Amino acid sequence: MKKSVKAMRKSTWSFILNATMTLCMSAIIGIGFLIKYTLLSGQDRKEVYGQNVELYFLNMDRHQWGTIHLYLSFVLIGLLIMHVFLHWKVVTAVYKKIIKVQFTKRIVALSFAIIYAFLVLIPFFIIPKVEPIKKGKGRQVTLVTDFNNSLNYFCLVN
């Protein structure tokens, strides 16, 4: 009887955790769309509204929504850590079942850890290229307009 009560508690916690993660991810996605497509950046605001205006939703501008977006991502990271902790036995069992050779298990785990550390830590070591804004020009480069130059920089395109 005690085992079924413990299992029920674990499944209840798992459900609550998964539901909370889903809501958090949905909010992160929604706020990202809000920032990108509704609370437009300076150049886009000027194109849409004919002048550089301030845009607000619920009395917050795109930068304030960006802060909420960031804080929700920290909450999601915490929830994901709890999720992995709660399901650790399942993770290790599936990992052992998928990869049979011990050496391969270690290589895959080490590779995953290195890639994870790189993706999480690299933003703290990037030094941006700094260029002065030419008077009257404003910000001219966007991800879309400078994508080919970025690819050339990383030697992906000739």
Side-chain angles (χ1 to χ4, degrees):
M1 183 97 173
K2 288 184 179 182
K3 198 172 191 178
S4 65
V5 171
K6 184 178 177 183
M8 188 174 95
R9 273 189 267 166
K10 185 175 178 179
S11 65
T12 301
W13 277 111
S14 182
F15 177 80
I16 291 169
L17 181 62
N18 291 338
T20 307
M21 284 176 27
T22 301
L23 289 174
C24 192
M25 284 186 279
S26 299
I28 290 170
I29 292 166
I31 292 171
F33 287 154
L34 176 72
I35 292 168
K36 175 69 177 166
Y37 298 111
T38 304
L39 302 175
L40 305 171
S41 64
Q43 184 176 352
D44 295 335
R45 286 189 307 236
K46 194 169 185 176
E47 288 176 15
V48 171
Y49 296 101
Q51 57 185 341
N52 195 7
V53 295
E54 292 294 331
L55 300 174
Y56 297 94
F57 176 67
L58 299 177
N59 290 325
M60 291 187 285
D61 65 9
R62 71 189 324 261
H63 299 287
Q64 292 165 316
W65 280 106
T67 301
I68 292 172
H69 186 78
L70 176 66
Y71 290 158
L72 281 173
S73 70
F74 291 146
V75 170
L76 181 60
I77 290 168
L79 293 171
L80 287 168
I81 291 169
M82 289 172 50
H83 180 80
V84 170
F85 179 76
L86 187 64
H87 295 91
W88 187 249
K89 287 182 182 178
V90 174
V91 171
T92 56
V94 170
Y95 189 69
K96 287 177 184 177
K97 188 175 182 178
I98 292 173
I99 303 172
K100 305 282 187 202
V101 180
Q102 186 67 25
F103 179 74
T104 306
K105 285 180 195 177
R106 288 187 178 157
I107 293 297
V108 169
L110 182 63
S111 299
F112 182 82
I114 290 170
I115 292 168
Y116 170 81
F118 177 78
L119 292 173
V120 169
L121 298 176
I122 196 66
F124 297 105
F125 297 101
I126 292 174
I127 299 171
K129 180 180 175 184
V130 179
E131 290 184 1
I133 297 175
K134 296 175 185 159
K135 188 171 181 155
K137 297 287 185 181
R139 186 172 173 266
Q140 298 295 309
V141 178
T142 65
L143 178 64
V144 175
T145 59
D146 200 37
F147 187 69
N148 289 332
N149 289 337
S150 296
L151 290 177
N152 288 335
Y153 179 77
F154 288 108
C155 301
L156 296 175
V157 174
N158 291 329

